[in-house]
């Protein structure tokens, strides 16, 4: 009889430990989300571009000897009745020089829609050297029925960008913004205005 | 009940009869039997779906089902076969055999054991019920990638909760098996004397506990993305759909070893028996299984080489993946070395075990090819992948399940199965399974994509061949059921040892194994006898 109670205690302890392990692994699944984002931010492999203030941008030393072609691609996610196009297909810039470009967007629907643009830069290795001081993607963009709008993007390329990169492609995809507002969006982005 | 219990001693408690016996049983053999029958039923449900798939693919064009239903069939076939047929079958064998093999009277947690089985019928009612729902069953693939899976109709929450239930069942089963082996071994049964089936199951159980909760997390994120406004995988809200693939495959790769490791254990039990030699390299088998389990956690991204990973990532995952061939090669080498110069006989379990070694190795080789990043860019999402994972799962996991069934059925029923019928089942299955899956390598290399109901006419010939193989393979499995039913009903009396070369504690018991076994621990001599 003694041995069964010893065994029962041992079972209970082991099951407790295994349940803790199970709970930890469930938590680990969720922990992978911030880990993934941190990993992408540090390595820049997600094509996610950076964000700088005007002051920070001014500290970069222009490299007039190098030229980099920046191409623009725009997409509208399925189901969003918007027009969206870059006003220039590409620009040639020097690293370290702040450059302005403009995009045009319009709502074809007869009701107002809020959109959110998601940027991506190719090649991935260049993403961490590409920063914007102003972008319509920093905030959600409401468009009234039939409204047309031209929005700016100001970007700067860090002169430390790898020497083999002479061409990058910046793409934006507009999605219908999810219902909940994002508190971070309003803080730093300059007002998107024509 | 308490009155009845008072009249009996602890080992002969009152049994409910009829349906209540099975609902309330805590006996490991009863529960093992229920698991095995459940998985056999699921094997035929999943198999019927495969028949529909092969019927539609018999000829190019759309003949029998609409594309949406076809996609439901591929999705449901995978979910039913993985979570309904193979995983419960392993738990069923573990229930039957682990206590017998380690000299324990029952599982450590008999009530949890009952509960973990009885979750399954509910889980699969939820899943199979989706076939009759508006919008149809899930059709976005068993991998449930967003955003596609989020377009599933009313079936979506049923899919998610079914996965949660299946996961809970297998975690409960895994905890039970670990507790049984760690705390209930007979005196003298040290870890390095455990039969390999027990060893591979222990490792599988840890894989289950470490990986299934991650799947549960991933599908919960899908659920909240769909219904509660989170944006884990929605780019518009700052999430990333590729992240789902990382989290899913962090579960998914260990999962494939969950499906195959116990098969290694069964092959390691059968081959020495019919070669009449001890298993070659016992300890290297244990270490190889542990090494495979460890590596399985660091190779997940080889399922997603084409998502646009940095070169360093692709190289890392390629090297780690190809490294798995080393411990797997050790195992195959050991099985072959066990047979080398053995006095072999070829009863049905041995035939299936040898076919397992040969055909699983073919699946392993195509896996190596897929693991090499540059060529995977060509093979990704083609029928080559389909051929690969069916060689490792059908002729790997399922073959070893069939081998194990023939091997231990006399111990479970007390009767020998019909050897002629078994051999017929083997030869029909083995010829047809190769007619079924081997041409899919050619189709994949020629560029036929997977998960499509129609295809270019250049793929017509091999698809027809493959479908014919599929129909024959499907029909031959009826022989398996006939063999099992005949064996349960009667047949030649089985001896205690059953097989001349069988060693191990379960063979010291009479056949059929009594309802209660090893109430007293087995003598040390019989433990040593299992180790020869």
């Amino acid at each position: 009889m003694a041995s069964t109670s010893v065994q029962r205690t041992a079972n209970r302890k082991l099951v407790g430990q295994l349940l803790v392990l199970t709970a930890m692994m469930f938590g680990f699944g969720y922990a992978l989300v911030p880990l993934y984002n941190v990993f992408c931010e540090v390595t820049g492999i997600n094509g996610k571009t950076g964000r700088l203030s005007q002051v920070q941008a001014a500290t970069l030393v222009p490299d007039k000897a190098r030229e980099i072609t920046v191409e623009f691609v725009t997409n509208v996610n399925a189901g969003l009745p918007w027009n969206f196009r870059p006003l220039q297909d590409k620009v040639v810039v020097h690293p370290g020089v702040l450059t302005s470009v403009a995009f045009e967007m319009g709502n074809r629907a007869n009701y107002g829609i809020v959109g959110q643009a998601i940027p991506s830069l190719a090649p991935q290795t260049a993403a961490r050297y590409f920063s914007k001081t102003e972008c319509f993607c920093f905030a959600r963009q409401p468009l009234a029925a039939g409204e047309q709008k031209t929005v700016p993007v100001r970007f700067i390329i860090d002169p430390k960008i790898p020497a083999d990169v002479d061409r990058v492609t910046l793409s934006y995809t507009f999605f219908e913004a999810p219902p909940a507002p994002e508190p971070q969006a309003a803080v730093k982005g300059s007002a998107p205005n024509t | 009940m308490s009155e009845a219990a008072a009249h009996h001693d602890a080992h002969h408690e009152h049994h409910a009869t009829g349906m209540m016996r099975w609902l309330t049983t805590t006996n490991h053999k009863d529960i093992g039997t229920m698991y095995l029958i459940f998985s056999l039923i699921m094997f035929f449900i999943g198999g019927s779906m495969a028949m529909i798939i092969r019927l539609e693919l018999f000829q190019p064009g759309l003949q029998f089902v609409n594309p949406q239903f076809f996609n439901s069939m591929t999705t449901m076939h995978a979910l039913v076969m993985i979570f309904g047929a193979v995983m419960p079958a392993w738990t069923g064998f573990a229930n039957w055999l682990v206590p017998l093999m380690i000299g324990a009277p029952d599982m450590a947690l008999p009530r949890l054991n009952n509960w973990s089985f009885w979750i399954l019928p509910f889980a699969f009612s939820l899943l199979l019920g989706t076939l009759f729902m508006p919008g149809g069953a899930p059709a976005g693939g068993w991998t449930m990638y967003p955003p596609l899976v989020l377009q599933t109709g009313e079936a979506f929450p049923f899919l998610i909760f079914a996965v949660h239930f299946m996961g809970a069942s297998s975690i409960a089963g895994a905890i039970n098996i670990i507790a049984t082996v760690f705390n209930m071994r007979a005196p003298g049964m040290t870890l390095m004397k455990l039969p390999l089936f027990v060893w591979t199951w222990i490792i599988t159980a840890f894989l289950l506990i470490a990986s299934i909760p991650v799947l549960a997390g991933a599908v919960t994120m899908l659920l909240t993305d769909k219904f509660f406004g989170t944006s884990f995988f929605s780019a518009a809200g700052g999430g990333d759909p590729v992240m789902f693939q990382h989290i899913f495959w962090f579960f998914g790769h260990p999962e494939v070893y969950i499906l195959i490791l116990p098969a290694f254990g069964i092959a390691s039990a059968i081959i020495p028996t019919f070669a009449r030699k001890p298993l070659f390299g016992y300890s290297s088998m244990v270490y190889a299984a542990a090494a495979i389990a460890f590596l399985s956690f660091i190779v997940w991204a080889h399922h997603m080489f084409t998502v646009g990973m940095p070169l360093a990532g692709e190289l890392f995952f390629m090297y780690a993946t190809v490294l798995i061939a080393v411990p797997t090669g050790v195992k195959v080498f050991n099985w072959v070395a066990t047979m080398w110069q053995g006095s072999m006989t070829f009863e049905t379990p041995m035939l299936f075990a040898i076919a397992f070694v040969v055909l699983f190795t073919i699946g392993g080789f195509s896996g190596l090819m897929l693991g090499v990043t540059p060529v995977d860019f060509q093979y990704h999402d083609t029928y080559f992948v389909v051929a690969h994972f069916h060689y490792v799962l059908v002729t790997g996991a399922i073959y070893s399940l069939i081998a194990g069934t023939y091997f231990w059925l006399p111990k479970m029923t007390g009767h020998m199965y019909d050897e002629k019928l078994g051999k017929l089942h083997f030869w029909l299955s083995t010829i047809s399974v190769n007619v079924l899956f081997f041409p899919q390598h050619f189709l994949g290399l020629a560029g036929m994509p997977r998960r499509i109901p129609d295809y270019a006419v250049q793929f017509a010939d091999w698809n027809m061949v493959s479908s014919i193989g599929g129909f024959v393979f499907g029909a031959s499995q009826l022989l398996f059921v006939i063999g099992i039913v005949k064996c349960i009903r009667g047949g030649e009396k089985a001896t205690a040892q059953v097989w001349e070369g069988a060693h191990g504690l379960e063979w010291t018991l009479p056949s059929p194994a009594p309802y209660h076994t090893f109430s007293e621990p087995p003598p040390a001599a019989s433990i040593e006898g299992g180790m020869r």
Side-chain angles (χ1 to χ4, degrees), chain A residues 85 87 101-105 136 148-152 192-194:
Chain A
R85 66 182 187 96
L87 290 181
V101 291
F103 290 75
E104 188 183 73
M105 57 204 237
F136 57 91
Q148 291 277 336
K149 205 169 169 185
T150 305
V151 286
N193 241 313
T194 38

Side-chain angles (χ1 to χ4, degrees), chain B residues 37-58:
Chain B
I37 292 173
F38 177 83
S39 85
L40 190 63
I41 294 168
M42 286 297 145
F43 178 61
F44 276 87
I45 293 177
S48 317
M49 294 170 176
M51 293 301 104
I52 294 172
I53 293 169
R54 281 324 314 174
L55 185 67
E56 181 55 52
L57 293 175
F58 188 70

Side-chain angles (χ1 to χ4, degrees), chain A residues 7 10-11 14-15 18-19 21-22 25-26 28-30 32-33 36 45-46 48 116 118 124 175-176 178 182, chain B residues 108-109 175 178-179 182-184 209-210 213-214 216-217 220-221 232 235-237 240 242-243 246 250 308 310:
Chain A
Q7 194 156 66
N11 282 350
L14 184 59
V15 170
L18 293 172
L19 283 176
L21 182 63
T22 307
M25 288 312 293
F26 186 76
F28 179 72
Y30 274 86
L32 282 173
V33 177
Y36 180 81
I45 55 177
N46 208 13
K48 285 188 176 161
Q116 169 73 55
I118 302 293
Q124 294 165 338
F175 294 86
E176 185 165 352
E182 279 174 284
Chain B
L109 311 153
I175 288 177
I178 293 175
F182 280 18
N183 292 344
M184 311 260 297
I209 291 176
V214 177
T220 308
M221 290 179 213
F232 287 107
D240 187 344
V242 172
M243 185 174 70
H246 281 287
F250 183 85

